[in-house]
Amino acid sequence: MLTEQFPWLTTLVILPLLAILPIPVLPNGNGHTLRWYALGIGFIEFSLILYTFANFYDLDQAGLQLIEQYNWVPQVGLTWSLGADGLAMPLVILSGLVTTLAILASWNVTRRPRLYFSLLLVMYSAQVGVFLAQDLVMFFLMWELELVPVYLLISIWGGQKRHYAATKFILYTAIGSIFILVAALGMAFYGDTVTFNLTELAQKDYSLPFQLLIYAAFLVAFAVKLPIFPLHTWLPDAHSEAPAAVSMILAGVLLKMAGYGLIRMNIEMLPDAHLYFAPFLAILGVVNVIYASMTAFGQDNLKRRMAYSSVAHMGFVLIGCSAFTTLGMSGAMLQMISHGLIAAVMFFLSGVTYERTHTLDMDDMGGIARKMPTTFAFFTAASMGSLALPGMSGFVSEIAVFLGMATSDVYSTAFKTVVIIGSAVGVVLSPIYLLSMLRRIFYGDAGKVLAKVPNMLDIRPREAFVAACLLVPIIGIGLYPKLATQVYDAKTVAVASQVQTTVLAAGQSSPLYAHIMVAPRVTVAELATPAVSEID
């Protein structure tokens, strides 16, 4: 059929970019026409994502689907290569939902609206391009493309320290991105053939020392963006100064680009090196969880507290990726999806609160639940999702990570105990800093804010709609996880089986490896039997 031959993925990547072209000639009308136009493009893009997924994507296939490949710069072997699988598709859907709602959340932007909405659409294209790119140079270019809009959006529409925060963001992320390019060139020119295609790169027979070097290069780049301690310090500054809509995209989508890259490049393409780095990732995950949770409790700035919460939650992604189990890998993917939704609604509601109070200092707040009861209800529901209350998506993803690590046959009992207990400390700390945040903002005696703004308005219908659109899938996934897991099950099972097979080979051939981990009890015959996800 003609619809099956249509370049759907290419359309998804370039549509927001092409939609920027009419913006300079659109009537301004105090930004009214521009925001409706941007929202329309965002809605069309998200609708196309859902249409493509519903009609042309097979949930039971683990391999790439909807592959599109065109010669781009043939002189250097660069191709416009796109494809979707269980790693990419759920994150593309997440990107479409969060970015479209971020455009709707920007309804009150009247300063330089042409540039503002143009930058949001550029980010839209770049995010989708990162997840769908099947050429490593194209992946790098899309990765770099999204840095510039974030820098400009923070430096122009941010808070008082916006220039410092934007400069720190671009320095950290741009320097980290260099390691992606170095790794790409190293992999492309390794061996007898030169290629940047991810499938062809994964089939090359790399030596172990080379894999370790390339793995380390990718890890540095993704550690900055995820972020991983101690390369995380740009994130609290960026969030505290960024507009609420930008924080929604930054926490909801951009951090997930690093988690996606970690699974796609480090684990799937370099499984031998992953065996040696996995224990290190698990330890870093525990450090992320404990350090960020404890630091979050000491933050008086509302968005800085949420930023450290994001650092803590992304630590569970590292632990899930290092578990060598299907359940752990599935939990890591679900944690990225869950946190993307939860972080987006939390930062959006912080923006709603800031518009009423004109402050992010929780010491100046207090008692505003009397004036904003509906906002209080939404904020409480979002916080329950963030602290992993049963019935919310955060609970399912975190328990999957715990069980994935606990049932791993690769690590010793002592190592697994340390990782699980360390992670559990973060689970205990998260209700403390989140509930104390709610208490300081909404409960108690009236603070300075209520004295200055006695007629504070509650959340508006448009704002309630944005919050509801994010909370509904959080609760839906929490009650019925298969809504999300069925999208990526086939792929995560394949990736987990691949690394388990590599574990067996390494355990039999490498005495050094046997001293690092415990030889798994799983056999080659068992690996040959198709597995299914244990999250339903």
Side-chain angles (χ1 to χ4, degrees), residues 409 497 500 504 520-531:
D409 290 327
S497 298
Q500 288 168 358
L504 284 175
R521 293 188 294 272
V522 66
T523 65
V524 175
E526 290 172 329
L527 286 174
T529 303

Side-chain angles (χ1 to χ4, degrees), residues 358-428:
H358 305 292
T359 182
L360 292 172
D361 191 342
M362 290 186 286
D363 289 335
D364 293 339
M365 302 182 192
I368 65 175
R370 304 164 193 166
K371 298 292 185 179
M372 303 173 64
T374 308
T375 305
F376 169 56
F378 277 118
F379 227 127
T380 302
S383 298
M384 295 303 105
S386 186
L387 61 81
L389 183 76
M392 300 285 198
S393 60
F395 173 79
V396 183
S397 59
E398 291 184 14
I399 199 68
V401 170
F402 277 115
L403 292 176
M405 177 57 70
T407 57
S408 177
D409 290 327
V410 175
Y411 299 107
S412 66
T413 302
F415 184 86
K416 291 190 293 186
T417 301
V418 170
V419 171
I420 292 171
I421 292 178
S423 305
V425 171
V427 175
V428 173

